[in-house]
């Protein structure tokens, strides 16, 4: 019996893709009969989540042997994209690639989300984790985290830090800093990380918990001065910069990360196949090198470890949001 022309073309395209990427092995069988898979990104083009999506999409397509398309659906701190995926057909063809706000939104929106985050999704993976770095204006008088704490205690509420908006990772990093250091800072929210970083470089606001990838060039050109990174271990991108824990803030850790999630009712065999394919992609040498160049580390663990990590992150940030009465406004 002769195979349909469309079936034959799909197999030939898949074979060509695998030949182009010999380090990636293809998983057996098709998802939803080989239909294209939509990777819905909760933030605009050019951001960290989008960079990760476009890094993994072609490789994921090669491993699965079917097309993977990136679609950006920004808005409302990622909830627009999440709602679309929560309501999608649970056949493995619509996936959500989100950011660390996924763990913050349940507390930030105070049960007003258009979906139940506890039951709407099945975590497939956490792709990678990325630290932030506490940077300051080059001429700022503090030379260390200890200096920042001393200044904050001498002048409660007068020392300011910028962020990309209320409830953002940078805002929460500052709130956790206040909590552990037992100091009072003043938060200055901006409409995005770019304007916030510009004003820190210009001296309008002295401190910013910046994304390592976006601030690295400015650090290297001396337009920003790093004080400490927010991960438990030093980052390869800034090996000489201490962690906040090393600087005296015991237990401090703030990471940005990108989970991939499927609708909750997606069958277990499909979820397992997708999760295995994502692990294969993240183990690729080129992907690993790109993540490390951006200051991150590939997440070590399967879908169960990813689910546990997401639960821990949500519990941590729910406490911070509620204790500091953080809102979106």
């Amino acid at each position: 019996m002769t195979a349909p022309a469309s079936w034959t073309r799909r197999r030939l395209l898949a074979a060509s893709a695998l030949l182009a990427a010999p380090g990636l092995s293809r998983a057996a069988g098709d998802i939803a009969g080989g239909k294209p898979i939509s990777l819905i990104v909760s933030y605009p083009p050019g951001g960290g989540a989008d960079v990760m999506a476009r890094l993994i999409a072609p490789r994921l397509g090669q491993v699965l042997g079917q097309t993977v398309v990136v679609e950006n659906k920004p808005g409302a701190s990622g909830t627009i994209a999440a709602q679309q995926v929560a309501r999608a057909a649970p056949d493995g063809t619509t996936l959500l690639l989100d950011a660390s706000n996924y763990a913050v939104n349940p507390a930030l929106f105070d049960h007003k989300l258009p979906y139940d985050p506890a039951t709407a999704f099945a975590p497939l993976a956490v792709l990678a984790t990325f630290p932030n770095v506490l940077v300051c204006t080059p001429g700022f008088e503090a030379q260390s985290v200890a200096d920042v704490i001393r200044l904050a205690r001498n002048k409660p509420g007068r020392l300011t830090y910028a962020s990309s908006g209320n409830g953002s990772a940078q805002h929460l990093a500052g709130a956790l800093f206040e909590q552990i250091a037992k100091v009072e800072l003043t938060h200055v929210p901006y409409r995005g990380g770019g304007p916030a970083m510009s004003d820190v470089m210009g001296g309008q606001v002295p401190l910013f918990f910046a994304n390592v990838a976006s601030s690295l060039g400015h650090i290297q050109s001396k337009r920003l001065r790093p004080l400490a990174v927010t991960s438990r271990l030093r980052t390869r991108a800034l090996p000489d910069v201490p962690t906040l824990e090393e600087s005296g803030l015991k237990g401090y850790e703030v990471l940005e990360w990108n989970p991939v999630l499927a609708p909750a009712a997606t069958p277990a065999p499909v979820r397992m196949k997708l999760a295995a394919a994502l692990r294969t992609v993240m183990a690729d040498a080129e992907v690993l090198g790109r993540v490390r160049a951006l200051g991150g580390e590939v997440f070590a663990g399967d879908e169960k470890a990813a689910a546990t990590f997401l639960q821990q992150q949500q519990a941590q940030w729910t406490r911070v949001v509620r204790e500091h009465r953080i809102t979106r406004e």
Side-chain angles (χ1 to χ4, degrees), residues 45 54 97 139 167 267 272 278 283 309:
R54 296 183 190 279
L97 196 154
M272 292 173 63
L278 286 164
F309 176 84

Side-chain angles (χ1 to χ4, degrees), residues 105-117 322:
N105 285 341
L108 197 61
F109 283 83
D110 195 23
H111 306 294
K112 296 176 183 177
L113 292 170
Y115 52 87
D116 183 349
R322 291 178 178 168

Side-chain angles (χ1 to χ4, degrees), residues 5-293:
S6 59
W7 186 94
T8 304
R9 284 195 299 271
R10 191 169 70 240
R11 297 298 181 190
L12 288 172
L13 286 171
S16 298
L18 285 169
L19 287 172
L24 298 173
S25 59
R26 184 184 164 192
D30 290 328
I31 289 173
K35 289 168 58 178
I37 295 172
S38 294
L39 193 57
I40 309 297
V41 181
S42 52
Y43 292 90
D50 180 70
V51 168
M52 287 302 298
R54 296 183 190 279
L55 175 64
I56 71 165
R59 293 165 175 83
L60 184 60
Q62 291 161 8
V63 173
L64 294 172
Q66 57 197 100
T67 303
V68 178
V69 179
V70 175
E71 297 181 32
N72 298 88
K73 298 286 183 180
S77 297
T79 62
I80 291 175
Q83 181 180 11
Q84 177 179 337
V85 175
R87 296 178 176 178
D91 60 1
T93 62
T94 306
L95 308 177
L96 175 66
L97 196 154
D98 209 335
S100 49
N101 259 39
Y102 174 81
V104 180
N105 285 341
L108 197 61
F109 283 83
D110 195 23
H111 306 294
K112 296 176 183 177
L113 292 170
Y115 52 87
D116 183 349
T119 60
F121 303 104
L124 301 176
V126 173
L127 300 178
T129 59
F130 299 88
N132 285 338
V133 55
L134 176 59
V135 296
C136 65
T137 304
F140 184 50
E141 60 183 292
Q143 299 299 310
S144 66
V145 171
D147 288 343
V148 172
I149 294 172
R150 176 180 52 80
L151 289 170
R153 287 177 177 167
N154 289 341
K155 300 177 180 179
R158 294 183 62 183
L159 189 58
T160 58
Y161 72 97
S163 87
S164 59
N166 285 309
S168 65
Q170 297 88 5
H171 183 189
L172 295 172
L176 187 62
F177 183 98
E178 291 180 84
Q179 182 176 308
I180 295 179
K182 296 180 173 55
V183 297
E184 182 184 347
L185 306 176
T186 294
H187 171 230
V188 182
Y190 285 78
R191 292 184 179 274
M197 196 179 308
S198 293
D199 270 12
V200 174
M201 288 189 288
Q204 284 83 357
V205 182
L207 297 169
F208 181 44
F209 289 86
N211 177 281
V212 171
S214 61
S215 62
L216 189 58
H218 299 307
I219 291 170
Q220 292 169 339
S221 66
K222 311 296 185 185
R223 298 183 70 194
L224 290 170
R225 180 156 51 84
L227 296 172
V229 294
T230 64
S231 49
R232 290 283 178 88
L233 300 175
R234 295 193 183 195
T235 176
R236 299 169 193 267
L238 296 166
D240 297 326
V241 178
T243 69
L244 277 157
E245 187 164 66
E246 286 178 313
S247 303
L249 298 188
K250 186 176 180 180
Y252 189 101
E253 183 181 45
V254 175
L255 299 170
E256 296 194 39
W257 35 269
N258 299 112
V260 178
L261 307 107
T266 303
V270 175
R271 297 200 310 267
M272 292 173 63
K273 177 178 173 132
L274 287 165
L278 286 164
R279 288 196 299 273
T280 297
V281 169
M282 296 310 296
D284 177 63
E286 186 176 346
V287 173
L288 179 62
R290 178 62 175 154
V291 168
R292 288 180 173 175

